[in-house]
Amino acid sequence: MVKIIRDIIVFTNNISVCDRFNKAMHIHFIDGGYIDVLYAARDEIHKGKKLISHPLMGSIKPNETPYRSIIIDNRVEELNMDSLLIIENSIERYRSFTNNKPSPCWSEKALKDFRFVDLKLIESALYSLNINC
């Protein structure tokens, strides 16, 4: 029997992350782009949840990948101003990198590679939290 980790939630638009972790933790799949994941995380932060992983982790610029996964503490507390500042700055950074630039038409091979990199970043973040799934 798989123990579900309930204290965290992963917001992602990466199906590979869903496939890898859907039985071990709560995954909130975002059917949208990178910015939609940022907005969904921001909405949860406004409800009193806080960031566990940085929205821009991995030093991958927002205009260099269509996928993003973010780990959020699923427990509700008071508004965490540090998390709010980080997510708002991440949204602003996304906008500055993508302002007036159309998204490239990535090949399926490139999309697969982007999904893989995003998955490995989340696996690394979970490992650093001593969460082995």
Side-chain angles (χ1 to χ4, degrees), residues 15-110:
I15 195 67
S16 297
V17 171
C18 294
D19 291 344
R20 171 74 173 85
F21 295 113
N22 70 348
K23 293 182 179 159
M25 65 188 68
H26 185 74
I27 305 290
H28 185 85
F29 181 74
I30 308 296
D31 187 16
Y34 190 120
I35 191 68
D36 299 306
V37 176
L38 295 176
Y39 288 149
R42 182 187 62 187
D43 291 348
E44 292 303 303
I45 291 165
H46 279 283
K47 295 175 185 174
K49 298 178 184 179
K50 72 178 186 179
L51 286 170
I52 294 177
S53 67
H54 197 285
L56 301 178
M57 73 175 166
S59 299
I60 300 171
K61 296 174 186 168
N63 60 329
E64 294 176 343
T65 181
Y67 299 107
R68 178 53 51 198
S69 299
I70 303 171
I71 304 170
I72 302 280
D73 187 325
N74 201 29
R75 295 170 290 191
V76 177
E77 299 176 3
E78 293 181 15
L79 179 63
N80 184 286
M81 293 307 291
D82 289 335
S83 291
L84 184 60
L85 182 62
I86 290 168
I87 196 70
E88 291 293 351
N89 285 339
S90 297
I91 290 168
E92 186 56 38
R93 186 137 173 126
Y94 173 89
R95 288 179 181 147
S96 72
F97 274 105
T98 60
N99 191 21
N100 297 322
K101 297 176 190 167
S103 295
C105 186
W106 304 108
S107 70
E108 185 52 42
K109 182 183 179 326

Side-chain angles (χ1 to χ4, degrees), residues 101-119:
K101 297 176 190 167
S103 295
C105 186
W106 304 108
S107 70
E108 185 52 42
K109 182 183 179 326
L111 292 171
K112 182 179 177 184
D113 290 344
F114 290 136
R115 287 190 298 269
F116 178 79
V117 170
D118 182 61
L119 174 63

